[in-house]
Amino acid sequence: MGKLGRPKNQTARREALVDAAGRAITERGLEGLRIKDIAEEAGMSAGSVLYYYPELDELVLEVHRGAVERFLAARHAVTDEVADPVARLRALIASGLPSAPDDATHGLLYELHGRADRSAGHAALMASLFSSEVGLYTTVLEVGAATGVFTLSAPVGDLARNLVALEDGFGLHIVSRNAGLTRTEAQRLIRVQARAVTGCPEL
């Protein structure tokens, strides 16, 4: 059968290329990224890459979209089943930070977010991720306040945005290998802020 008769195979090829491009970006960075690099990573010819993605920018945007979706899914996976607001907030804080300086997902996201100033598509993905993360914090803070566990010091949206911004800032230092800020210390510092704005000493 011809290529048009194998839509599932085409979907698998596209997914493989997105994965390969993500690995290439993680290893080499976006600057100077070439079709050849992605082809080598995918075990395909450069012509095959161009067949599925004639424009490199389109492929990079797909990498960004996939990274955002996977990151959010992982955060939901570790928090959605936790009912206790204190335990859930602690888990949420931990899930938003790089596991180590070489954390591939965070490194990829920070690299791709760097395109936001030049691409409406990348800017939209960055804004969407921020909004979704704010939503995660908003939910747990609202539940904690409704059950009397938290006493919020400011509007919940403001607190949620501040906590996400702390994650982003500390996460960037971690992947940038700032020797003065470990993941453990970053978690501690965010929990300090969380205790201050919720009045909950157990955090």
Side-chain angles (χ1 to χ4, degrees):
M1 294 177 67
K3 290 176 180 174
L4 292 179
R6 297 183 294 178
K8 289 184 179 178
N9 187 51
Q10 287 205 357
T11 299
R13 286 283 182 98
R14 285 178 174 273
E15 290 174 353
L17 281 171
V18 170
D19 289 342
R23 292 193 301 273
I25 293 168
T26 299
E27 293 169 11
R28 300 172 177 83
L30 277 170
E31 295 304 321
L33 180 69
R34 301 169 301 171
I35 293 292
K36 178 183 175 184
D37 299 326
I38 299 167
E40 288 178 358
E41 196 71 43
M44 298 181 188
S45 69
S48 293
V49 176
L50 290 169
Y51 172 80
Y52 291 102
Y53 288 99
E55 297 293 333
L56 182 58
D57 287 346
E58 180 189 352
L59 176 53
V60 172
L61 190 63
E62 282 301 310
V63 172
H64 197 172
R65 184 174 291 111
V68 166
E69 290 174 355
R70 287 192 304 275
F71 181 58
L72 286 173
R75 300 200 73 175
H76 278 286
V78 300
T79 60
D80 284 358
E81 301 305 315
V82 182
D84 175 65
V86 175
R88 188 170 182 176
L89 186 50
R90 289 176 69 96
L92 185 56
I93 291 168
S95 75
L97 292 168
S99 60
D102 60 354
D103 184 297
T105 299
H106 278 83
L108 184 59
L109 284 170
Y110 283 119
E111 185 79 22
L112 293 166
H113 286 350
R115 286 246 167 143
D117 65 335
R118 291 170 285 169
S119 162
H122 288 285
L125 285 169
M126 184 178 177
S128 173
L129 175 57
F130 183 78
S131 177
S132 295
E133 291 179 295
V134 168
L136 286 171
Y137 273 104
T138 297
T139 297
V140 68
L141 291 171
E142 286 179 339
V143 170
T147 55
V149 178
F150 299 156
T151 302
L152 304 183
S153 64
V156 66
D158 293 350
L159 301 181
R161 284 191 289 270
N162 284 340
L163 289 168
V164 175
L166 284 175
E167 283 183 358
D168 289 346
F170 287 142
L172 182 58
H173 280 277
I174 292 169
V175 299
S176 300
R177 301 182 184 277
N178 179 341
L181 188 73
T182 64
R183 170 184 164 83
T184 299
E185 179 65 1
Q187 283 189 72
R188 186 189 71 78
L189 290 168
I190 296 174
R191 288 202 300 265
V192 167
Q193 176 67 10
R195 284 196 297 272
V197 301
T198 62
C200 180
E202 287 81 13
L203 285 168

